[in-house]
Amino acid sequence: MPRYKLTMEYDGTPFSGWQRQADRPSVQQALEEAIHAMSGEAVTTQAAGRTDAGVHALGQVAHFDLSKEWDPFRIREALNYHLRPDPVAIIAAEAVGDDFEARFSATARHYEYRILNRRAPAVIERDHVWHVPMELDADTMDHAASLILGTHDFTTFRSSECQANSPLRTLDKFSVRRELDHIVISASARSFLHHQVRSMVGSLKLVGEGKWSPSDFRAALDARDRRRCGAMAPSAGLYLTRVDY
């Protein structure tokens, strides 16, 4: 059966997340219904990452199989037509071999977390940033972030409901920069634990406020104890920006 790879962008605000739910709207459901409307086939799609409720994507990747060959250009155009008015767009569609797996073939996942750091609340970016009114020290946050690069047991920054077999992960990039009123946090790894990025960001906020030192942040990681994690950052500021293969 021909297999197709999609690169997708979506606003996660109205969705319960990527994964199909019995009683709530999901990105997966919207996409699969669009594929059915296009082809008449009921398919199950697989994504590179199961983003949580309210999390956005600029470069999510998914794959699916059809019983006959379609021109990728037609797939992209037809799916974008049938996805309306849902805030989901197919950026690219391409034919791939049957050994391609959106999830298991990925070699790296890249996330970005955006904090609006000003007194005035978010208006244009509401539901797309974490509004933090107190001033944050981005340089100190960046220093703290650098202390947990590499391979570690990330139990502290792991959801209690995480189903991964091991808490060991290799964090290839974790950096913080200021862009005018925004604090932008970038994180890259082959894979992440459930809620890992949002948990790390929530603790980094404590560093930015001066409530934790960078060494406190590293000590929280070393404790391998979820109770040492700061309050988890909200989903609104998180974006899956790219997946590498």
Side-chain angles (χ1 to χ4, degrees):
M1 297 177 70
R3 177 162 293 183
Y4 299 94
K5 171 189 173 186
L6 303 177
T7 303
M8 308 169 58
E9 175 181 292
Y10 52 81
D11 177 352
T13 307
F15 297 110
S16 62
W18 163 265
Q19 193 169 5
R20 182 183 280 270
Q21 305 286 321
D23 56 352
R24 291 177 292 176
S26 69
V27 181
Q28 183 180 26
Q29 177 185 352
L31 177 61
E32 290 174 357
E33 289 179 353
I35 294 171
H36 183 267
M38 173 193 77
S39 66
E41 297 186 44
V43 305
T44 299
T45 56
Q46 182 187 104
R50 295 178 177 178
T51 52
D52 290 329
V55 175
H56 316 292
L58 303 177
Q60 172 73 282
V61 174
H63 83 261
F64 64 97
D65 298 331
L66 291 174
S67 61
K68 68 175 186 178
E69 291 188 3
W70 283 69
D71 177 66
F73 175 82
R74 287 186 61 202
I75 289 176
R76 186 190 68 184
E77 297 301 295
L79 290 183
N80 282 331
Y81 174 81
H82 289 296
L83 281 164
R84 294 182 298 182
D86 289 320
V88 182
I90 307 303
I91 305 302
E94 60 185 290
V96 292
D98 58 11
D99 60 341
F100 175 83
E101 297 273 347
R103 179 181 177 188
F104 298 109
S105 299
T107 58
R109 293 165 174 84
H110 306 275
Y111 285 87
E112 187 171 277
Y113 196 96
R114 299 186 66 83
I115 297 173
L116 180 63
N117 189 211
R118 69 182 190 192
R119 294 295 301 174
V123 177
I124 301 300
E125 295 181 291
R126 182 181 296 144
D127 297 324
H128 294 85
V129 292
W130 182 13
H131 175 233
V132 177
M134 66 287 295
E135 185 173 356
L136 299 176
D137 185 336
D139 291 337
T140 303
M141 293 169 70
D142 184 58
H143 173 57
S146 71
L147 299 181
I148 66 168
L149 290 171
T151 304
H152 305 285
D153 180 328
F154 281 95
T155 294
T156 298
F157 302 121
R158 177 188 193 183
S159 167
S160 59
E161 301 176 355
C162 181
Q163 298 178 356
N165 293 327
S166 170
L168 292 177
R169 289 294 185 272
T170 300
L171 191 57
D172 297 313
K173 178 180 181 181
F174 196 39
S175 63
V176 183
R177 68 185 186 275
R178 176 175 285 278
E179 296 180 353
L180 300 176
D181 288 337
H182 292 83
I183 302 289
V184 182
I185 301 167
S186 300
S188 300
R190 184 182 182 92
S191 63
F192 289 91
L193 298 166
H194 189 208
H195 289 166
Q196 182 181 344
V197 176
R198 290 168 59 195
S199 295
M200 295 188 302
V201 170
S203 293
L204 269 186
K205 172 179 173 285
L206 297 176
V207 175
E209 292 174 326
K211 294 178 179 178
W212 281 15
S213 68
S215 60
D216 291 331
F217 184 68
R218 174 60 197 236
L221 170 74
D222 292 338
R224 299 188 294 278
D225 183 349
R226 178 68 185 174
R227 294 171 296 181
R228 293 288 299 275
C229 182
M232 187 169 66
S235 60
L238 185 59
Y239 297 76
L240 173 58
T241 58
R242 193 175 86 243
V243 183
D244 295 341
Y245 292 91

